[in-house]
Amino acid sequence: MVYVGPDRHGTVPDAQASLLRRIGEFMRTYGDSVYGTRGGPWQPVDGKYGFTHRDRTIYVHLLRGYSGTGFTTPSLGDAKVEKVFDVATGTTLSYASAPDGTVTVEGVNRSRHAEDSVVGIRLDRPVCQRDLAVHRRATASSAAEDNSAALAVDGSTSTYWLAGESGPDQWLTVDLGAAKPLTGVRVVWKKADTNYRYRLEGSTDESNWTTLADLTMTAGTTTRATPGPVTCTYHDETTSICPHAKDGFSRSS
């Protein structure tokens, strides 16, 4: 948010006019990374870097607090990179894709706009895949009043499932309706800065379960697990720290 206004003489101060010119210059250069985009697909780190995306392109914003001319992304799952480029010039940048799905980019020009150097990563498919879990049948070990399992998969992060009982080993299962290939699962907890521990399992018959991702020992605030590619009919999430009281979650896959 920028506050600009004239002084008592009806003149916009030079410092404010200069700021507006700098913003205009930035938007002319990097507008593609701002207009029509959404935040994500990964969490930002204040003062260091952030992400926006649109269609098949992820925009990486390296801020002043980030040092260096290279970076490594979180995992892209099984998505393939078609091109990495400097958004300001369109110049292709060198990159290397690792077996774990991460991508390392080198040679970023940090001097042109030190406040926000933007790199584009174009994929072979849309950044945000269709949510396979939305409006599917969901069941849970327990549920608090007005916070049923169905609210975990209603397509909104403003509603959520709350376990009706305290203690660990609460679970939520989603029936995808048929065997589906998965590339990742995103869990949106109510408290973004809280360490939630959970395990993600998959099954094609709701009897034999395979662990897809185990975050029961995590010390961070991970909201996305990337177990794929894998094929499942049912998703199950079991918590080590119970999502009861005020700690419910919504999820998408």
Side-chain angles (χ1 to χ4, degrees):
M1 184 68 70
V2 178
Y3 293 96
V4 176
D7 59 20
R8 66 182 185 279
H9 303 295
T11 302
V12 175
D14 290 342
Q16 294 185 12
S18 175
L19 175 61
L20 290 178
R21 284 191 289 269
R22 288 171 57 197
I23 293 174
E25 178 187 357
F26 177 87
M27 295 303 293
R28 282 192 297 272
T29 304
Y30 296 112
D32 284 348
S33 71
V34 178
Y35 295 122
T37 64
R38 301 188 66 179
W42 305 299
Q43 295 296 316
V45 174
D46 287 348
K48 292 190 175 183
Y49 55 81
F51 309 95
T52 56
H53 67 88
R54 184 180 63 248
D55 299 330
R56 295 189 297 136
T57 303
I58 298 171
Y59 297 98
V60 182
H61 299 256
L62 302 180
L63 308 180
R64 186 179 291 278
Y66 182 88
S67 60
T69 58
F71 67 92
T72 299
T73 70
S75 177
L76 291 168
D78 64 349
K80 306 300 182 185
V81 176
E82 293 186 342
K83 181 181 180 180
V84 177
F85 58 98
D86 184 325
V87 174
T89 64
T91 303
T92 299
L93 299 175
S94 62
Y95 69 92
S97 298
D100 63 357
T102 60
V103 176
T104 298
V105 181
E106 301 290 349
V108 181
N109 186 330
R110 300 299 312 283
S111 61
R112 183 181 295 108
H113 285 97
E115 295 89 351
D116 188 354
S117 305
V118 188
V119 173
I121 302 176
R122 186 171 301 149
L123 306 180
D124 63 344
R125 65 188 189 197
V127 176
C128 287
Q129 297 292 291
R130 184 169 62 90
D131 188 347
L132 299 178
V134 67
H135 300 315
R136 292 296 184 179
R137 181 175 65 88
T139 56
S141 53
S142 64
E145 186 176 359
D146 298 327
N147 291 99
S148 68
L151 295 181
V153 291
D154 64 351
S156 172
T157 56
S158 64
T159 57
Y160 43 83
W161 162 62
L162 293 180
E165 300 176 2
S166 61
D169 298 327
Q170 300 296 310
W171 53 263
L172 173 77
T173 299
V174 181
D175 181 356
L176 300 180
K180 301 288 181 65
L182 307 179
T183 58
V185 176
R186 180 171 178 253
V187 181
V188 182
W189 297 96
K190 184 177 181 182
K191 299 178 180 178
D193 58 350
T194 300
N195 176 21
Y196 294 97
R197 300 176 180 178
Y198 60 96
R199 183 173 60 254
L200 174 67
E201 298 177 335
S203 172
T204 56
D205 59 11
E206 205 172 7
S207 296
N208 301 297
W209 295 89
T210 300
T211 297
L212 305 179
D214 190 341
L215 287 83
T216 55
M217 299 301 291
T218 182
T221 56
T222 301
T223 60
R224 185 176 181 88
T226 309
V230 67
T231 298
C232 293
T233 306
Y234 301 90
H235 262 171
D236 177 78
E237 296 194 37
T238 304
T239 62
S240 291
I241 298 179
C242 175
H244 70 286
K246 299 181 180 179
D247 298 335
F249 69 81
S250 294
R251 48 79 60 78
S252 60
S253 57

